[in-house]
């Protein structure tokens, strides 16, 4: 009994001591502006055009961009994935690792107080055609999904394609709370939007990312959106994007069309019951 | 020796002063801004009524209590009872407008600070009378040293005042079990609890259930049967006080009370991040309120509280006397508030404010646990005189120091604070736990905005927009800045935009990248390195 009582008291003393000390010294565990300055200066000085900058853990991102945001264009911050980058600069706190760096080869690691800077090397994938970047060359039209009615051409204003019921515009989409650069289709329950790229140079693979771009709509609506992809009129793939699928990757073999320009068409049919926005980003890769 | 009542008074005053002092640097939140407005409106009605009565003209009095005159003031924010808002308004009229002693917000928040002080005093009395003065003191300081309860107790809201009213009702009921005169005060306290917040609807279930268990245990021993007076007074005074204090109910009590109930039964689901998932649809993971309590209360408080309950029930099991300690009453009250959220299919609320009533009961158990441990230590070590006193004092310091240090550390951003188990605010962020809500942290970027925003700049204020009025009145924010409004049009039109970091708010940041042409913030407000608010400027 004596030992048990003293053990409880000792346990209380240890927990109390650790908790009080951690509370009073909490500020010492935080990276200082000088450390951020030193870490990001190293990245800035060695940055090359095909490099990606990431921060880990993800919640540190705004502070990282405070120091390096001028070197992180919107296209990089809202990337679909990290495939096209040759090197990755990972600025990390608390020993965290960015998911983009997993599987890449670390070339160098430097410590700046509480911040670690690691440079990773990887094999980049060349993008033959970026459909989001090339959206200005696309034509849009809209037709009733049930086939009872005519196809109507959409008009372009600034960078947005306006259709009677729907709209397509390049945006930063928020999919699963992450930024994703792509084309936003405001879908309609009754109409299908057709987006056609007349001269898309294809590679061996067509990568298509889809995502519902607004959490509110997912909350209220659970019917899937249908996306049909065709090349030169040949129906290549049908994608069903259901709520909860996140940033969904579909990869299609396009070897037989590789190296030449083709007509690529995306048809997006909204879910019955209401409107919802769909985000889409596609790339032709070798 | 200082009397129990006087000690309670001193502790209450000390707690009130701490809260009032803390409140000077605490941000204003979305809901609080509504209650400030309601407080002004409600107190205005009472002022006009006073003037009408003083004029001696019956017609004026009658006009003032007409349905139209009442609705003009009380239809605003009628989803909550009027007691606390009316007190906030009275305090504002007296201490700000009439005497000029306090600023708008300080005066509005004063009744909440006093309610917090009363809570600490009551906890002390409960602990001291149930066990010992040492238990009461430790319990009182652990209640004050609960970071999130301290945060809520500074605000002119209802989440901490309802804890006071809840504890007050339970305390009176407990006293009524041995002294029938407390039955009346149980009814009064219950009425005030109903007038504070709807959480009080659950009190009759708790008290009635406890009363039935005691009655069953008493069996046929008539002298051991508990008095039914507290239940009778609760049934009589509860609805009477609720009705009398709230003019909005006067002319249509049934239909308006139903409207009030329906608002809360069909409450909108909030967004709440829990282990990286954005909860915004029921059902709740039943673990949520328990896990969140486990990750936000100081670990020492949790261990002592659980240890205290363990000791109390062990003694009960061994049929040893636990003195007057109401082990069952304390345990049920500690467990019931989070259980309502966990098991009732309640709308998604998420934050600890909805089950803060757990804290004082856990703290009392912790105080009792420490007291029992202290006695055993002295006994085992055979300490006497000064060495015994020193050992006792050391144990008290060990019990309360972490709680007070954690509360100090958490201020003013306690909603971002997580405990030692989680690894502090950064650990909470790593775990993907809710960062904050209510937009209160925006106050931290006001100095930067005051210094850097161009004259007459249009600003997207995000979740902080309802607090602009009070912030300008308090002199915290320049008056020339304007609000560009809500959602996408508000972001598009602004020269500067704020993003208050919560998982479901990420889209606003992405809009700013799109519309302002940059991903580089101009300013980031952080708590221990964890971003709370980010400010973007449109690139020229």
């Amino acid at each position: 009994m004596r030992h048990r009582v003293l053990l409880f008291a000792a346990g209380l003393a240890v927990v109390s001591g650790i908790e009080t000390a951690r509370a009073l010294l909490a500020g010492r565990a935080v990276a200082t502006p000088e450390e951020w300055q030193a870490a990001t200066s190293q990245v800035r000085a060695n940055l090359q055009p095909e490099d990606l900058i990431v921060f880990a853990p993800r919640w540190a991102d705004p502070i990282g961009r405070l120091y390096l945001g001028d070197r992180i264009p919107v296209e990089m911050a809202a990337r679909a994935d990290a495939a096209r980058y040759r090197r990755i600069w990972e600025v990390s706190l608390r020993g965290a690792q960015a998911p983009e760096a997993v599987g890449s080869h670390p070339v160098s690691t430097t410590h700046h107080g509480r911040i670690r800077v690691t440079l990773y090397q990887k094999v980049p994938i060349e993008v033959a055609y970026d459909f989001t970047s090339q959206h200005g060359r696309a034509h849009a039209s809209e037709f009733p999904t049930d086939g009872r009615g005519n196809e109507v051409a959409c008009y372009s204003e600034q960078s947005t394609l306006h259709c009677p019921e729907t709209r397509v515009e390049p945006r930063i989409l928020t999919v699963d709370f992450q930024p994703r650069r792509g084309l936003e289709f405001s879908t309609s329950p009754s109409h299908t939007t057709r987006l056609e790229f007349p001269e898309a140079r294809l590679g061996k693979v067509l990568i298509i990312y889809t995502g519902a771009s607004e959490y509110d709509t997912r909350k209220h609506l659970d019917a899937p959106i249908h996306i049909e992809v065709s090349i030169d009129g040949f129906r290549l793939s049908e994608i069903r994007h259901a709520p909860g699928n996140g940033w969904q990757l579909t990869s299609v073999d396009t070897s037989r069309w590789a190296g030449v320009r083709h007509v690529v068409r995306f048809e997006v049919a909204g879910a019955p019951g209401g409107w919802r926005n769909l985000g889409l980003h596609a790339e032709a890769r070798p | 020796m200082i009397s129990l009542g006087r000690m309670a008074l001193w502790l209450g005053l000390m707690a009130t002063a701490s809260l009032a002092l803390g409140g000077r640097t605490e941000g204003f939140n979305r809901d609080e801004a509504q209650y400030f407005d309601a407080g002004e409106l409600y107190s205005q009605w009472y002022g006009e009524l006073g003037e009408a009565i003083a004029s001696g003209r019956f017609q004026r009095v009658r006009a003032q209590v007409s349905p139209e005159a009442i609705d003009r003031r009380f239809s605003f924010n009628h989803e909550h009872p009027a007691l606390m808002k009316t007190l906030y308004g009275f305090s504002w009229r007296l201490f700000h407008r009439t005497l000029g002693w306090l600023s708008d917000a300080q005066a509005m928040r004063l009744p909440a600070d006093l309610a917090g002080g009363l809570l600490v005093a009551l906890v002390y009395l409960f602990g001291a009378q149930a066990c010992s003065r040492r238990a009461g003191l430790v319990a009182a300081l652990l209640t004050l040293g609960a970071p999130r309860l301290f945060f809520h107790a500074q605000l002119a809201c209802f989440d901490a005042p309802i804890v006071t009213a809840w504890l007050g009702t339970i305390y009176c009921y407990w006293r009524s079990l041995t002294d029938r005169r407390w039955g009346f005060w149980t009814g009064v306290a219950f009425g005030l609890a109903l007038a504070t917040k709807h959480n009080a609807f659950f009190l009759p279930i708790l008290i009635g259930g406890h009363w039935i268990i005691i009655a069953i245990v008493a069996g046929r021993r008539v002298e051991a049967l508990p008095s039914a007076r507290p239940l009778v007074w609760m049934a009589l005074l509860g609805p009477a006080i609720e009705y009398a204090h709230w003019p909005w109910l006067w002319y249509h009590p049934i239909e308006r009370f139903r409207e009030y109930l329906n608002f809360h039964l069909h409450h909108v689901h909030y967004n709440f991040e829990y282990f990286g998932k954005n909860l915004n649809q029921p059902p709740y993971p039943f673990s949520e309120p328990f896990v969140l309590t486990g990750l936000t209360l100081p670990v020492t408080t949790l261990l002592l509280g659980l240890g205290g309950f363990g000791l109390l029930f062990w003694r009960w099991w061994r049929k040893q006397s636990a003195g007057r300690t109401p082990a069952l009453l304390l345990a049920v009250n500690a467990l019931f508030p989070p259980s309502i959220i966990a098991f009732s299919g309640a709308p998604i609320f998420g934050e600890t404010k909805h089950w803060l009533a757990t804290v004082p009961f856990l703290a009392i158990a912790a105080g009792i646990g420490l007291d029992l441990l202290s006695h055993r230590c002295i006994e085992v070590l055979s300490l006497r005189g000064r060495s015994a006193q020193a050992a006792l004092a050391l144990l008290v310091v060990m019990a309360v120091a972490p709680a007070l240090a954690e509360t100090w550390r958490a201020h003013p951003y306690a909603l971002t604070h997580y405990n030692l188990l989680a690894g502090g605010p950064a650990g909470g962020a790593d775990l993907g736990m809710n960062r904050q809500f209510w937009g209160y942290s925006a106050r931290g970027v006001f100095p930067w905005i005051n210094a850097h925003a161009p004259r007459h700049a249009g600003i997207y204020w995000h979740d902080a927009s309802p607090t602009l009025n009070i912030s300008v009145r308090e002199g915290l924010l320049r008056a020339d800045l304007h609000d560009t409004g809500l959602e996408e049009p508000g972001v598009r039109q602004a020269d500067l935009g704020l993003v208050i970091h919560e998982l479901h708010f990420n889209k606003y940041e992405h809009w700013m990248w799109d519309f302002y042409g940059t991903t580089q913030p101009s300013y980031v407000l952080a708590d221990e390195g964890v971003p709370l608010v980010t400010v973007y400027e449109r690139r020229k």
Side-chain angles (χ1 to χ4, degrees), chain A residues 1-2 16 19 59 63 65-66 72 94 171-172 174 177 214, chain B residues 299-300 380 398 430 488 506 509-511 514 519-520 531 536:
Chain A
M1 188 61 182
R2 176 190 166 90
S16 165
E19 192 166 31
W59 54 257
I63 300 181
R65 280 186 283 99
L66 182 67
I72 303 176
R94 299 162 61 83
R171 294 218 36 176
I172 299 177
T174 303
F177 308 102
E214 174 65 65
Chain B
V299 178
T300 314
V380 162
M398 277 173 10
D430 282 343
E488 196 174 319
N506 286 0
E509 183 165 37
H510 307 152
W511 284 347
D514 235 350
T519 68
Q520 186 166 38
Y536 288 91

mmCIF file of all heavy atoms in Angstrom, chain A residues 1-2 16 19 59 63 65-66 72 94 171-172 174 177 214, chain B residues 299-300 380 398 430 488 506 509-511 514 519-520 531 536:
data_model
loop_
_atom_site.group_PDB
_atom_site.id
_atom_site.type_symbol
_atom_site.label_atom_id
_atom_site.label_comp_id
_atom_site.label_asym_id
_atom_site.label_seq_id
_atom_site.Cartn_x
_atom_site.Cartn_y
_atom_site.Cartn_z
ATOM 1 N N MET A 1 0.836 -1.219 0.000
ATOM 2 C CA MET A 1 0.000 0.000 0.000
ATOM 3 C C MET A 1 0.866 1.262 0.000
ATOM 4 O O MET A 1 0.643 2.188 -0.761
ATOM 5 C CB MET A 1 -0.916 -0.020 1.237
ATOM 6 C CG MET A 1 -1.948 1.081 1.252
ATOM 7 S SD MET A 1 -3.064 0.948 -0.177
ATOM 8 C CE MET A 1 -4.086 2.344 0.080
ATOM 9 N N ARG A 2 1.900 1.226 0.877
ATOM 10 C CA ARG A 2 2.818 2.351 0.996
ATOM 11 C C ARG A 2 3.431 2.672 -0.377
ATOM 12 O O ARG A 2 3.449 3.834 -0.808
ATOM 13 C CB ARG A 2 3.909 1.961 1.994
ATOM 14 C CG ARG A 2 5.016 2.984 2.170
ATOM 15 C CD ARG A 2 6.146 2.387 2.990
ATOM 16 N NE ARG A 2 7.327 3.217 2.875
ATOM 17 C CZ ARG A 2 7.612 4.219 3.676
ATOM 18 N NH1 ARG A 2 6.807 4.521 4.671
ATOM 19 N NH2 ARG A 2 8.686 4.958 3.495
ATOM 20 N N SER A 16 2.826 16.309 -13.788
ATOM 21 C CA SER A 16 2.661 17.740 -13.502
ATOM 22 C C SER A 16 3.884 18.527 -13.949
ATOM 23 O O SER A 16 3.767 19.585 -14.571
ATOM 24 C CB SER A 16 2.411 17.923 -12.003
ATOM 25 O OG SER A 16 2.578 19.257 -11.646
ATOM 26 N N GLU A 19 4.082 18.588 -17.832
ATOM 27 C CA GLU A 19 3.021 19.418 -18.427
ATOM 28 C C GLU A 19 3.262 20.897 -18.167
ATOM 29 O O GLU A 19 3.106 21.730 -19.063
ATOM 30 C CB GLU A 19 1.658 18.989 -17.878
ATOM 31 C CG GLU A 19 0.506 19.596 -18.666
ATOM 32 C CD GLU A 19 -0.838 18.943 -18.362
ATOM 33 O OE1 GLU A 19 -1.032 18.472 -17.221
ATOM 34 O OE2 GLU A 19 -1.697 18.926 -19.267
ATOM 35 N N TRP A 59 -0.240 21.999 -42.858
ATOM 36 C CA TRP A 59 -0.782 23.193 -42.214
ATOM 37 C C TRP A 59 0.220 24.346 -42.154
ATOM 38 O O TRP A 59 -0.157 25.492 -41.914
ATOM 39 C CB TRP A 59 -1.358 22.879 -40.827
ATOM 40 C CG TRP A 59 -0.453 22.167 -39.851
ATOM 41 C CD1 TRP A 59 -0.504 20.856 -39.516
ATOM 42 C CD2 TRP A 59 0.594 22.742 -39.053
ATOM 43 N NE1 TRP A 59 0.451 20.560 -38.571
ATOM 44 C CE2 TRP A 59 1.139 21.704 -38.268
ATOM 45 C CE3 TRP A 59 1.128 24.021 -38.917
ATOM 46 C CZ2 TRP A 59 2.185 21.897 -37.356
ATOM 47 C CZ3 TRP A 59 2.178 24.220 -38.021
ATOM 48 C CH2 TRP A 59 2.694 23.175 -37.256
ATOM 49 N N ILE A 63 2.577 29.800 -43.886
ATOM 50 C CA ILE A 63 3.805 30.445 -43.403
ATOM 51 C C ILE A 63 4.923 30.249 -44.425
ATOM 52 O O ILE A 63 5.685 31.173 -44.725
ATOM 53 C CB ILE A 63 4.219 29.875 -42.025
ATOM 54 C CG1 ILE A 63 3.105 30.137 -41.020
ATOM 55 C CG2 ILE A 63 5.520 30.510 -41.553
ATOM 56 C CD1 ILE A 63 3.374 29.653 -39.630
ATOM 57 N N ARG A 65 4.593 29.934 -47.625
ATOM 58 C CA ARG A 65 4.346 30.817 -48.779
ATOM 59 C C ARG A 65 4.553 32.283 -48.443
ATOM 60 O O ARG A 65 4.788 33.101 -49.324
ATOM 61 C CB ARG A 65 2.939 30.577 -49.330
ATOM 62 C CG ARG A 65 2.876 29.337 -50.225
ATOM 63 C CD ARG A 65 1.540 29.132 -50.903
ATOM 64 N NE ARG A 65 0.550 28.594 -49.995
ATOM 65 C CZ ARG A 65 -0.369 29.307 -49.368
ATOM 66 N NH1 ARG A 65 -0.448 30.617 -49.591
ATOM 67 N NH2 ARG A 65 -1.215 28.738 -48.540
ATOM 68 N N LEU A 66 4.477 32.616 -47.161
ATOM 69 C CA LEU A 66 4.791 33.990 -46.751
ATOM 70 C C LEU A 66 6.227 34.327 -47.154
ATOM 71 O O LEU A 66 6.526 35.444 -47.574
ATOM 72 C CB LEU A 66 4.615 34.116 -45.226
ATOM 73 C CG LEU A 66 4.837 35.477 -44.600
ATOM 74 C CD1 LEU A 66 3.772 36.460 -45.049
ATOM 75 C CD2 LEU A 66 4.805 35.371 -43.074
ATOM 76 N N ILE A 72 6.154 30.506 -55.936
ATOM 77 C CA ILE A 72 5.149 29.440 -56.045
ATOM 78 C C ILE A 72 3.958 29.975 -56.827
ATOM 79 O O ILE A 72 3.025 30.541 -56.260
ATOM 80 C CB ILE A 72 4.715 28.950 -54.643
ATOM 81 C CG1 ILE A 72 5.935 28.471 -53.855
ATOM 82 C CG2 ILE A 72 3.670 27.834 -54.745
ATOM 83 C CD1 ILE A 72 5.630 28.068 -52.424
ATOM 84 N N ARG A 94 8.932 19.699 -37.600
ATOM 85 C CA ARG A 94 8.555 18.588 -36.731
ATOM 86 C C ARG A 94 8.789 17.212 -37.377
ATOM 87 O O ARG A 94 8.051 16.265 -37.132
ATOM 88 C CB ARG A 94 7.070 18.710 -36.332
ATOM 89 C CG ARG A 94 6.758 19.973 -35.563
ATOM 90 C CD ARG A 94 5.280 20.300 -35.542
ATOM 91 N NE ARG A 94 4.487 19.262 -34.909
ATOM 92 C CZ ARG A 94 4.293 19.131 -33.610
ATOM 93 N NH1 ARG A 94 4.824 20.012 -32.794
ATOM 94 N NH2 ARG A 94 3.554 18.157 -33.114
ATOM 95 N N ARG A 171 -10.336 27.461 -63.237
ATOM 96 C CA ARG A 171 -10.361 27.978 -61.864
ATOM 97 C C ARG A 171 -9.438 27.163 -60.996
ATOM 98 O O ARG A 171 -9.033 26.071 -61.346
ATOM 99 C CB ARG A 171 -11.775 27.860 -61.278
ATOM 100 C CG ARG A 171 -12.749 28.718 -61.974
ATOM 101 C CD ARG A 171 -13.755 29.347 -61.156
ATOM 102 N NE ARG A 171 -13.414 29.794 -59.828
ATOM 103 C CZ ARG A 171 -14.282 30.437 -59.070
ATOM 104 N NH1 ARG A 171 -15.477 30.679 -59.534
ATOM 105 N NH2 ARG A 171 -13.973 30.835 -57.874
ATOM 106 N N ILE A 172 -9.235 27.711 -59.792
ATOM 107 C CA ILE A 172 -8.649 26.848 -58.778
ATOM 108 C C ILE A 172 -9.827 26.221 -58.055
ATOM 109 O O ILE A 172 -10.655 26.916 -57.466
ATOM 110 C CB ILE A 172 -7.776 27.639 -57.800
ATOM 111 C CG1 ILE A 172 -6.636 28.286 -58.569
ATOM 112 C CG2 ILE A 172 -7.235 26.704 -56.720
ATOM 113 C CD1 ILE A 172 -5.771 29.143 -57.728
ATOM 114 N N THR A 174 -11.566 23.662 -55.294
ATOM 115 C CA THR A 174 -11.273 23.119 -53.968
ATOM 116 C C THR A 174 -11.899 21.735 -53.904
ATOM 117 O O THR A 174 -13.109 21.592 -53.808
ATOM 118 C CB THR A 174 -11.845 24.033 -52.873
ATOM 119 O OG1 THR A 174 -11.293 25.342 -53.062
ATOM 120 C CG2 THR A 174 -11.463 23.529 -51.486
ATOM 121 N N PHE A 177 -10.918 19.744 -50.031
ATOM 122 C CA PHE A 177 -10.311 20.849 -49.284
ATOM 123 C C PHE A 177 -8.901 21.197 -49.769
ATOM 124 O O PHE A 177 -8.224 21.990 -49.145
ATOM 125 C CB PHE A 177 -10.310 20.564 -47.776
ATOM 126 C CG PHE A 177 -11.676 20.171 -47.273
ATOM 127 C CD1 PHE A 177 -11.989 18.862 -47.018
ATOM 128 C CD2 PHE A 177 -12.662 21.131 -47.131
ATOM 129 C CE1 PHE A 177 -13.272 18.504 -46.614
ATOM 130 C CE2 PHE A 177 -13.938 20.787 -46.723
ATOM 131 C CZ PHE A 177 -14.239 19.468 -46.456
ATOM 132 N N GLU A 214 -17.093 21.596 -54.716
ATOM 133 C CA GLU A 214 -17.733 22.394 -53.672
ATOM 134 C C GLU A 214 -18.337 21.472 -52.624
ATOM 135 O O GLU A 214 -19.200 20.667 -52.934
ATOM 136 C CB GLU A 214 -18.800 23.280 -54.319
ATOM 137 C CG GLU A 214 -19.649 24.061 -53.384
ATOM 138 C CD GLU A 214 -18.834 25.084 -52.638
ATOM 139 O OE1 GLU A 214 -18.319 25.994 -53.306
ATOM 140 O OE2 GLU A 214 -18.722 24.945 -51.418
ATOM 141 N N VAL B 299 -3.787 17.443 -18.827
ATOM 142 C CA VAL B 299 -3.670 15.998 -18.555
ATOM 143 C C VAL B 299 -3.698 15.731 -17.051
ATOM 144 O O VAL B 299 -4.310 14.759 -16.593
ATOM 145 C CB VAL B 299 -2.372 15.456 -19.189
ATOM 146 C CG1 VAL B 299 -2.202 13.971 -18.884
ATOM 147 C CG2 VAL B 299 -2.401 15.665 -20.687
ATOM 148 N N THR B 300 -3.061 16.594 -16.279
ATOM 149 C CA THR B 300 -3.043 16.400 -14.825
ATOM 150 C C THR B 300 -4.459 16.459 -14.266
ATOM 151 O O THR B 300 -4.828 15.652 -13.405
ATOM 152 C CB THR B 300 -2.168 17.482 -14.158
ATOM 153 O OG1 THR B 300 -0.947 17.595 -14.901
ATOM 154 C CG2 THR B 300 -1.859 17.143 -12.729
ATOM 155 N N VAL B 380 1.560 7.626 5.192
ATOM 156 C CA VAL B 380 2.591 6.649 4.829
ATOM 157 C C VAL B 380 3.985 7.154 5.190
ATOM 158 O O VAL B 380 4.834 6.403 5.669
ATOM 159 C CB VAL B 380 2.473 6.348 3.312
ATOM 160 C CG1 VAL B 380 3.726 5.705 2.779
ATOM 161 C CG2 VAL B 380 1.289 5.451 3.056
ATOM 162 N N MET B 398 1.384 20.942 -7.301
ATOM 163 C CA MET B 398 1.558 19.979 -8.399
ATOM 164 C C MET B 398 0.255 19.748 -9.145
ATOM 165 O O MET B 398 0.241 19.532 -10.361
ATOM 166 C CB MET B 398 2.070 18.644 -7.847
ATOM 167 C CG MET B 398 3.564 18.665 -7.659
ATOM 168 S SD MET B 398 4.307 17.241 -6.835
ATOM 169 C CE MET B 398 3.083 16.032 -6.698
ATOM 170 N N ASP B 430 -1.427 18.634 -36.404
ATOM 171 C CA ASP B 430 -0.935 17.379 -37.002
ATOM 172 C C ASP B 430 -2.014 16.309 -37.022
ATOM 173 O O ASP B 430 -2.142 15.550 -37.982
ATOM 174 C CB ASP B 430 0.243 16.821 -36.187
ATOM 175 C CG ASP B 430 1.549 17.547 -36.474
ATOM 176 O OD1 ASP B 430 1.630 18.234 -37.497
ATOM 177 O OD2 ASP B 430 2.480 17.424 -35.648
ATOM 178 N N GLU B 488 -18.145 34.637 -52.689
ATOM 179 C CA GLU B 488 -17.282 34.933 -53.830
ATOM 180 C C GLU B 488 -17.306 36.400 -54.259
ATOM 181 O O GLU B 488 -16.247 36.984 -54.509
ATOM 182 C CB GLU B 488 -17.649 34.008 -55.007
ATOM 183 C CG GLU B 488 -16.587 33.981 -56.069
ATOM 184 C CD GLU B 488 -16.868 32.955 -57.159
ATOM 185 O OE1 GLU B 488 -17.304 31.844 -56.831
ATOM 186 O OE2 GLU B 488 -16.641 33.294 -58.332
ATOM 187 N N ASN B 506 -11.055 26.401 -46.642
ATOM 188 C CA ASN B 506 -9.919 26.456 -47.569
ATOM 189 C C ASN B 506 -10.270 27.106 -48.899
ATOM 190 O O ASN B 506 -9.442 27.735 -49.528
ATOM 191 C CB ASN B 506 -9.387 25.039 -47.838
ATOM 192 C CG ASN B 506 -8.608 24.503 -46.654
ATOM 193 O OD1 ASN B 506 -8.458 25.184 -45.639
ATOM 194 N ND2 ASN B 506 -8.123 23.282 -46.765
ATOM 195 N N GLU B 509 -9.328 30.729 -49.465
ATOM 196 C CA GLU B 509 -7.915 30.984 -49.768
ATOM 197 C C GLU B 509 -7.656 30.727 -51.247
ATOM 198 O O GLU B 509 -6.973 31.504 -51.908
ATOM 199 C CB GLU B 509 -7.031 30.076 -48.903
ATOM 200 C CG GLU B 509 -5.553 30.337 -49.120
ATOM 201 C CD GLU B 509 -4.688 29.736 -48.034
ATOM 202 O OE1 GLU B 509 -5.010 28.640 -47.560
ATOM 203 O OE2 GLU B 509 -3.688 30.379 -47.655
ATOM 204 N N HIS B 510 -8.241 29.666 -51.779
ATOM 205 C CA HIS B 510 -8.025 29.335 -53.189
ATOM 206 C C HIS B 510 -8.650 30.388 -54.109
ATOM 207 O O HIS B 510 -8.100 30.725 -55.141
ATOM 208 C CB HIS B 510 -8.572 27.935 -53.488
ATOM 209 C CG HIS B 510 -8.030 26.900 -52.544
ATOM 210 N ND1 HIS B 510 -8.711 25.762 -52.206
ATOM 211 C CD2 HIS B 510 -6.873 26.863 -51.835
ATOM 212 C CE1 HIS B 510 -7.985 25.059 -51.347
ATOM 213 N NE2 HIS B 510 -6.881 25.710 -51.102
ATOM 214 N N TRP B 511 -9.784 30.930 -53.685
ATOM 215 C CA TRP B 511 -10.385 32.028 -54.460
ATOM 216 C C TRP B 511 -9.430 33.221 -54.500
ATOM 217 O O TRP B 511 -9.292 33.898 -55.515
ATOM 218 C CB TRP B 511 -11.714 32.470 -53.821
ATOM 219 C CG TRP B 511 -12.850 31.536 -54.068
ATOM 220 C CD1 TRP B 511 -12.887 30.508 -54.967
ATOM 221 C CD2 TRP B 511 -14.120 31.548 -53.414
ATOM 222 N NE1 TRP B 511 -14.113 29.879 -54.887
ATOM 223 C CE2 TRP B 511 -14.896 30.488 -53.957
ATOM 224 C CE3 TRP B 511 -14.686 32.328 -52.425
ATOM 225 C CZ2 TRP B 511 -16.190 30.215 -53.548
ATOM 226 C CZ3 TRP B 511 -15.979 32.049 -52.005
ATOM 227 C CH2 TRP B 511 -16.723 31.009 -52.558
ATOM 228 N N ASP B 514 -6.775 32.820 -56.968
ATOM 229 C CA ASP B 514 -7.349 33.006 -58.293
ATOM 230 C C ASP B 514 -7.558 34.497 -58.607
ATOM 231 O O ASP B 514 -7.147 34.986 -59.654
ATOM 232 C CB ASP B 514 -8.725 32.309 -58.333
ATOM 233 C CG ASP B 514 -8.817 31.304 -59.471
ATOM 234 O OD1 ASP B 514 -7.916 31.295 -60.309
ATOM 235 O OD2 ASP B 514 -9.795 30.541 -59.508
ATOM 236 N N THR B 519 -0.041 33.568 -54.639
ATOM 237 C CA THR B 519 -0.229 32.620 -53.536
ATOM 238 C C THR B 519 0.547 33.108 -52.308
ATOM 239 O O THR B 519 0.605 32.407 -51.306
ATOM 240 C CB THR B 519 0.291 31.215 -53.901
ATOM 241 O OG1 THR B 519 1.720 31.255 -54.007
ATOM 242 C CG2 THR B 519 -0.319 30.699 -55.187
ATOM 243 N N GLN B 520 1.143 34.286 -52.428
ATOM 244 C CA GLN B 520 1.964 34.775 -51.314
ATOM 245 C C GLN B 520 1.145 35.656 -50.365
ATOM 246 O O GLN B 520 0.668 36.725 -50.754
ATOM 247 C CB GLN B 520 3.145 35.588 -51.834
ATOM 248 C CG GLN B 520 4.090 35.990 -50.708
ATOM 249 C CD GLN B 520 5.418 36.493 -51.226
ATOM 250 O OE1 GLN B 520 5.473 37.196 -52.244
ATOM 251 N NE2 GLN B 520 6.491 36.147 -50.533
ATOM 252 N N PRO B 531 -0.835 28.388 -38.294
ATOM 253 C CA PRO B 531 -1.556 29.521 -38.879
ATOM 254 C C PRO B 531 -3.016 29.598 -38.435
ATOM 255 O O PRO B 531 -3.724 28.589 -38.430
ATOM 256 C CB PRO B 531 -1.476 29.260 -40.386
ATOM 257 C CG PRO B 531 -0.302 28.363 -40.555
ATOM 258 C CD PRO B 531 -0.255 27.506 -39.320
ATOM 259 N N TYR B 536 -4.273 38.264 -47.510
ATOM 260 C CA TYR B 536 -3.775 38.423 -48.878
ATOM 261 C C TYR B 536 -4.097 39.821 -49.379
ATOM 262 O O TYR B 536 -5.146 40.375 -49.038
ATOM 263 C CB TYR B 536 -4.438 37.404 -49.823
ATOM 264 C CG TYR B 536 -3.957 36.002 -49.612
ATOM 265 C CD1 TYR B 536 -4.606 35.148 -48.724
ATOM 266 C CD2 TYR B 536 -2.849 35.516 -50.296
ATOM 267 C CE1 TYR B 536 -4.169 33.850 -48.525
ATOM 268 C CE2 TYR B 536 -2.400 34.216 -50.098
ATOM 269 C CZ TYR B 536 -3.059 33.392 -49.222
ATOM 270 O OH TYR B 536 -2.620 32.115 -49.020
#
